[in-house]
Amino acid sequence: MSHTVTIEPIGEQIEVEEGQTILAAALRQGVWLPFACGHGTCATCKVQVLEGDVEIGDASPFALMDVERGEGKVLACCATVESDVTIEADIDVDPDFEGYPVEDYVATVTDIVDLSPTIKGLHLKLDRPMTFQAGQYINIEVPGVEGARAFSLANPPGKPDEVELHIRLVEGGAATTYIHEQLKAGDELNLSGPYGQFFVRSSQPGDLIFIAGGSGLSSPQSMILDLLEQNDERKIVLFQGARNLAELYNRELFEALDRDHDNFTYVPALSQSDGDADWSGFQGYVHEAAKAHFDGRFAGNKAYLCGPPPMIDAAITALMQGRLFERDIFMEKFLTAADGAEDTQRSALFKKI
């Protein structure tokens, strides 16, 4: 049995099956609700119930306080419905969001390559094409690991039946350890997608700055390849940060794009080059490379940031000092369990700051 949920203020209606959460139903019908953790601990998906009966589910008392429960607030990632329901959600309607519905796929591992000492490139073939926007991510079910894991798509939408992921080995991480040490070509994985609100705002004027660190290169790679395939004429600059030369992966790809496209510039930066004789590029943090390239003046650009929280925070500070503002900056923070719930609460996994 299903019930109808009306989402205000946008007036969208979705059908929610028995036992299905409001968030899952919305995403699978192409309606985006803000969310982050997906399991009731961060409060990003908090909504107000205006009419109808809702079961709160396994929401953390810290994310959904008793007084809020009494006011009719619920977490969409936990809440199920027991009647037709009307909710009010904090939704920014973005004209560039294409709203593709989340679907389930079976993927076959075609290749696993060493991109760096800590990052694997995982290549998958889907059982059917997946339509997505460059910059979005998927959830993968890893054998023997409870709960799906999110990984950003590194391939452009022009290859809809292929998936490329850049997966960093996280110390103590069950999913990344399995992928790095046990997964092999020919294995099958269940996944769902696409998810996320990290994508190029094509309708907004301005040239494009991408700042990436570590495996955070994945989303910018997808976005840049897509822009170049679409013959986008805006100027595009990619700043890629790594600790050392061994960790600076896919350098040859972006150097080739730099040579082949007049509107694309590639600026790699090493924070711990230690006078490496083989390195003649920028020495320092990636946000410092961006400041040096633009002489500290970023006005008129749109910036897309993807990487670990310290890199994101440093980049935001540099960009805002250079006259970019919140409306000009979009980000994707790469968080692990070690980063803690406080940081998770700040990140809508891929939400504009």
Side-chain angles (χ1 to χ4, degrees):
M1 181 178 180
S2 66
H3 296 288
T4 301
V5 173
T6 302
I7 303 171
E8 300 294 357
I10 59 175
E12 291 277 2
Q13 291 189 328
I14 59 173
E15 293 300 312
V16 182
E17 301 294 332
E18 184 176 355
Q20 187 179 36
T21 67
I22 295 173
L23 177 63
L27 295 176
R28 288 179 177 275
Q29 291 168 67
V31 178
W32 182 80
L33 295 177
F35 75 101
C37 72
H39 48 76
T41 61
C42 76
T44 304
C45 66
K46 191 178 297 178
V47 299
Q48 176 70 51
V49 179
L50 302 178
E51 296 179 4
D53 299 319
V54 176
E55 172 60 41
I56 290 175
D58 192 22
S60 162
F62 300 101
L64 189 67
M65 295 182 291
D66 289 341
V67 63
E68 293 177 310
R69 297 172 190 233
E71 293 171 348
K73 292 184 172 62
V74 301
L75 302 185
C77 70
C78 298
T80 57
V81 301
E82 299 175 334
S83 69
D84 290 349
V85 170
T86 300
I87 63 171
E88 185 175 41
D90 182 15
I91 299 177
D92 293 324
V93 180
D94 193 306
D96 293 309
F97 180 53
E98 296 175 6
Y100 298 119
V102 171
E103 297 183 24
D104 297 316
Y105 300 86
V106 177
T108 302
V109 178
T110 57
D111 198 11
I112 304 174
V113 298
D114 292 325
L115 296 176
S116 83
T118 61
I119 299 172
K120 297 280 191 184
L122 177 60
H123 295 261
L124 308 172
K125 184 75 170 180
L126 300 179
D127 58 342
R128 67 187 192 283
M130 176 173 61
T131 306
F132 65 94
Q133 284 183 268
Q136 292 191 292
Y137 70 97
I138 59 174
N139 280 340
I140 290 184
E141 297 176 14
V142 179
V145 178
E146 183 178 357
R149 297 296 191 270
F151 297 105
S152 295
L153 293 156
N155 54 293
K159 297 181 178 179
D161 61 345
E162 298 179 15
V163 166
E164 178 185 346
L165 308 173
H166 302 164
I167 300 177
R168 178 175 65 90
L169 179 62
V170 177
E171 185 177 355
T176 62
T177 297
Y178 182 92
I179 291 169
H180 272 247
E181 298 180 1
Q182 298 184 52
L183 194 67
K184 61 185 183 301
D187 288 352
E188 288 190 348
L189 295 170
N190 295 319
L191 60 86
S192 62
Y195 297 93
Q197 288 277 297
F198 190 57
F199 52 85
V200 174
R201 270 62 179 181
S202 297
S203 67
Q204 297 187 17
D207 293 329
L208 305 174
I209 298 170
F210 292 91
I211 301 179
S215 60
L217 180 65
S218 51
S219 289
Q221 176 175 306
S222 176
M223 295 160 123
I224 290 167
L225 291 175
D226 185 46
L227 288 165
L228 296 177
E229 287 179 5
Q230 300 301 321
N231 296 316
D232 195 292
E233 296 182 352
R234 286 173 289 183
K235 292 181 180 178
I236 304 167
V237 184
L238 168 64
F239 298 95
Q240 180 188 4
R243 290 188 180 90
N244 51 53
L245 197 55
E247 292 290 345
L248 188 70
Y249 71 93
N250 280 5
R251 175 185 173 191
E252 295 81 4
L253 167 65
F254 293 106
E255 288 177 339
L257 293 175
D258 192 325
R259 291 191 301 268
D260 295 341
H261 297 272
D262 292 337
N263 65 325
F264 176 70
T265 302
Y266 174 55
V267 183
L270 300 184
S271 61
Q272 299 175 16
S273 59
D274 296 327
D276 190 331
D278 294 327
W279 181 247
S280 59
F282 188 88
Q283 298 184 38
Y285 291 107
V286 67
H287 70 280
E288 296 170 336
K291 288 176 65 175
H293 183 85
F294 282 95
D295 196 23
R297 294 189 289 267
F298 300 104
N301 292 279
K302 298 296 181 184
Y304 296 83
L305 320 178
C306 189
M311 187 219 80
I312 294 289
D313 295 340
I316 289 172
T317 299
L319 291 167
M320 295 190 79
Q321 288 174 344
R323 306 302 293 169
L324 281 194
F325 302 98
E326 181 175 341
R327 67 177 180 271
D328 304 312
I329 303 171
F330 305 87
M331 72 172 185
E332 180 181 33
K333 276 191 180 181
F334 273 27
L335 296 165
T336 70
D339 293 308
E342 182 178 350
D343 278 331
T344 304
Q345 194 163 344
R346 294 177 55 201
S347 149
L349 245 190
F350 325 130
K351 161 181 180 184
K352 183 177 180 293
I353 62 172

